[in-house]
Amino acid sequence: MIPQLDYAFYVWSSYGLFAAIMAWQFIQPRVRRRRIIAELREELAMQTGNYDDPDA
Amino acid sequence: MIFHRLKVGFHRLGSPPTFHKLCRVLSPWLWAGFLVCAAIGLYQALYVVPPDYQQGDSYRILFIHVPAAWQAMAGYVIMSILAVIALVWRIRTVEIMTMAAAPVGAAFTALCLATGSLWGKPMWGTWWAWDARLTSMLVLLFIYLGIMGLYAAFEDRRKGARVACILVLVGLVNIPLIHFSVEWWTTLHQGATIRLLGESRMHPSMMSPLIWMTVGVKLMFGAALLDRARNDLIDQDRRKNWIRQLIGEGATGDNA
């Protein structure tokens, strides 16, 4: 299934780097958006007094 | 009539809620397009195309390296066009898009340099050479990083974006240097193998995965750009009503 290639280390390292960078470009903005939205929700809840502490 | 519609559409994009909606709707489609193109391209690159008669399988690195290099330069040109629009018309959403393009372009430049090194070691016998093409590409990475750093250094995001836009336009001089470096100087890096105009020196059987990967990374650039621009917009407008409404409406956070 996995092709047997010459210079396998160099070829697979390149494809691995590609996969890692694409995954980072997909994941990082989503993680950042979740963090911003969580902060905004908290600010909004504090302002409206409608604050449900999930740990309470 | 069509021109009028385009003009109205362009001006509507200046509205943060409209721009946010566009990013939210368009980004998943671009990611899906990227996944399809990359799946076909990678399958062909690894399973379908034959090994090169001189380089063996190491040439398969070019299916990552070349699209990344093209996108690093195309991304910079797109960023420069956006920078001109941002400086002339002072549209905030365009400023945000310009700045969002820098980290994506930097990622492609870094990928291009790293895969170039991984190809260079077995083929040239060295990871790096201070050759005109490689050095100008490294300069492009530093320009991208400089733009990101300059933008982040300003507390006033709009002022930071405008100053960084000027740096974007200054750095544009490096793009023709990269492109023509293999013609103007004697370089270890090979000359242009694939030509848009004229006959390519690459075997036609190897073209298909390259085209799929090139289209794929272009779609991915668009998707990542919109994702990052959307985040910056939410972050900058966090005190504004439309964001508050959006957060209130989307209980699961999907709308925001």
Side-chain angles (χ1 to χ4, degrees):
Chain A
M1 192 62 195
I2 297 172
Q4 298 295 312
L5 306 172
D6 303 334
Y7 306 106
F9 168 75
Y10 302 101
V11 177
W12 289 118
S13 298
S14 299
Y15 282 73
L17 261 177
F18 172 74
I21 289 180
M22 296 303 114
W24 173 252
Q25 293 294 329
F26 182 80
I27 294 165
Q28 195 267 342
R30 277 155 185 78
V31 170
R32 185 176 166 223
R33 186 156 57 243
R34 278 178 74 113
R35 205 186 62 229
I36 295 169
I37 288 167
E39 282 171 17
L40 284 173
R41 287 239 165 82
E42 204 168 294
E43 277 177 30
L44 203 65
M46 295 289 265
Q47 280 172 11
T48 56
N50 186 17
Y51 193 90
D52 295 325
D53 186 352
D55 298 325
Chain B
M1 189 64 185
I2 293 170
F3 179 72
H4 177 72
R5 278 191 175 183
L6 281 174
K7 200 174 154 189
V8 170
F10 178 73
H11 282 285
R12 274 194 189 145
L13 283 180
S15 152
T18 309
F19 179 71
H20 176 271
K21 193 178 173 187
L22 178 89
C23 293
R24 185 166 57 83
V25 171
L26 213 55
S27 163
W29 289 102
L30 292 174
W31 277 113
F34 159 69
L35 280 178
V36 171
C37 291
I40 298 169
L42 290 174
Y43 173 74
Q44 291 185 348
L46 290 170
Y47 290 94
V48 177
V49 292
D52 183 76
Y53 81 106
Q54 278 184 321
Q55 299 181 35
D57 287 312
S58 74
Y59 92 102
R60 292 178 202 276
I61 294 172
L62 82 83
F63 297 117
I64 304 292
H65 174 74
V66 175
W70 284 345
Q71 194 49 49
M73 290 193 286
Y76 200 92
V77 173
I78 292 168
M79 194 168 71
S80 303
I81 294 168
L82 290 170
V84 170
I85 297 171
L87 286 170
V88 173
W89 284 286
R90 301 204 166 197
I91 303 170
R92 192 165 61 93
T93 51
V94 180
E95 284 171 10
I96 288 172
M97 277 186 83
T98 313
M99 293 302 107
V104 192
F108 277 115
T109 313
L111 180 64
C112 165
L113 288 168
T115 53
S117 278
L118 284 163
W119 179 85
K121 182 62 184 166
M123 293 297 112
W124 291 345
T126 181
W127 295 102
W128 182 261
W130 291 103
D131 153 296
R133 171 60 69 84
L134 275 67
T135 308
S136 54
M137 209 64 195
L138 184 65
V139 170
L140 180 67
L141 178 64
F142 291 150
I143 292 172
Y144 271 127
L145 296 178
I147 291 161
M148 290 159 64
L150 189 60
Y151 177 53
F154 281 80
E155 207 165 305
D156 180 345
R157 309 301 270 175
R158 292 210 68 184
K159 195 187 269 183
R162 280 199 291 274
V163 174
C165 280
I166 295 168
L167 180 59
V168 170
L169 297 181
V170 173
L172 188 60
V173 74
N174 191 44
I175 298 298
L177 280 179
I178 295 172
H179 184 74
F180 293 110
S181 57
V182 287
E183 292 174 25
W184 292 345
W185 294 285
T186 306
T187 56
L188 187 57
H189 193 285
Q190 70 200 65
T193 313
I194 301 135
R195 295 167 195 275
L196 283 177
L197 304 169
E199 202 179 334
S200 294
R201 283 187 281 164
M202 192 175 176
H203 194 270
S205 69
M206 296 167 178
M207 286 299 277
S208 176
L210 188 66
I211 292 168
W212 280 108
M213 291 302 287
T214 303
V215 173
V217 297
K218 289 201 183 308
L219 295 174
M220 182 267 158
F221 180 88
L225 173 65
L226 294 180
D227 282 346
R228 285 174 185 276
R230 184 179 164 196
N231 283 353
D232 285 350
L233 187 65
I234 295 172
D235 198 23
Q236 283 187 23
D237 281 5
R238 52 168 64 211
R239 306 264 176 269
K240 298 203 173 149
N241 269 340
W242 74 271
I243 287 287
R244 302 265 157 161
Q245 282 169 0
L246 211 65
I247 300 292
E249 280 168 19
T252 57
D254 293 342
N255 285 344

